[in-house]
Amino acid sequence: MTGTPAGQTALVVRIPEAEPAVGLLREQLDPAAREGASAHVTVLFPFLPASGIDDGVLAALGEVIGRHRSFRAGFERCGRLPGLLYLAPEPDAPFRRLTDAIVERWPQTPPYGGKYDDVVPHLTVAQRQADVAVLEKAEADLGSRLPFTAQVSSVDLVAYDGTRWQHRMSFPLRP
């Protein structure tokens, strides 16, 4: 999510249980971590510009997200895309359903601007890494820190102020 214009927002599931496993690696290898983005699985990026989020949008987000049940996700394996190392949540279907529901309500906000045909739910560990050896070392380092599980009970709206990602609001999932 780095290289983002000020005023851009995202919907994310924070995964604090990941911090012991990925915190130091993310600080070194993920520019978004240095911009205040905690360990998370992105539900939707980009969302609406911050200037377009009013009480009506917040209420609608609460209603859409609140239709979904809380769930547990396990993080047992790494995955890779070009320049990217991530942890793959299992199951990933609840994350996909959240994304689909939000995009259904706000179709003008396709995931990643519509850049990808299939959006893979993931927790970024390293991004924009041209050196494959860096990714291989990070993946090897993660091996002894997996698996872990996380309880997913809310989705957060975060906004980028031009320097840092700031938490705006949390929307609970149904118990």
Side-chain angles (χ1 to χ4, degrees), residues 104-115:
E104 182 178 320
R105 173 61 180 80
W106 288 277
Q108 72 274 30
T109 62
Y112 301 99
K115 185 175 178 180

Side-chain angles (χ1 to χ4, degrees), residues 11-136:
L11 294 163
V12 302
V13 171
R14 284 183 292 161
I15 309 289
E17 298 89 341
E19 291 296 345
V22 303
L24 291 175
L25 287 170
R26 287 187 69 246
E27 280 297 320
Q28 297 167 359
L29 303 174
D30 181 4
R34 294 187 296 274
E35 295 173 341
S38 62
H40 66 276
V41 174
T42 300
V43 172
L44 185 61
F45 172 81
F47 186 51
L48 299 171
S51 61
I53 297 178
D54 58 17
D55 290 343
V57 170
L58 295 174
L61 272 171
E63 190 267 318
V64 169
I65 292 168
R67 283 190 243 136
H68 298 264
R69 289 201 173 277
S70 63
F71 60 95
R72 292 189 68 71
F75 294 83
E76 299 178 6
R77 66 176 181 84
C78 294
R80 287 210 215 150
L81 294 169
L84 179 76
L85 173 67
Y86 64 89
L87 299 180
E90 290 295 332
D92 72 356
F95 293 104
R96 290 176 185 271
R97 284 192 294 270
L98 282 164
T99 299
D100 291 346
I102 294 164
V103 171
E104 182 178 320
R105 173 61 180 80
W106 288 277
Q108 72 274 30
T109 62
Y112 301 99
K115 185 175 178 180
Y116 306 104
D117 290 334
D118 181 35
V119 178
V120 177
H122 63 279
L123 188 154
T124 300
V125 177
Q127 66 175 316
R128 298 189 178 169
Q129 297 297 318
D131 187 347
V132 174
V134 169
L135 296 177
E136 288 172 351

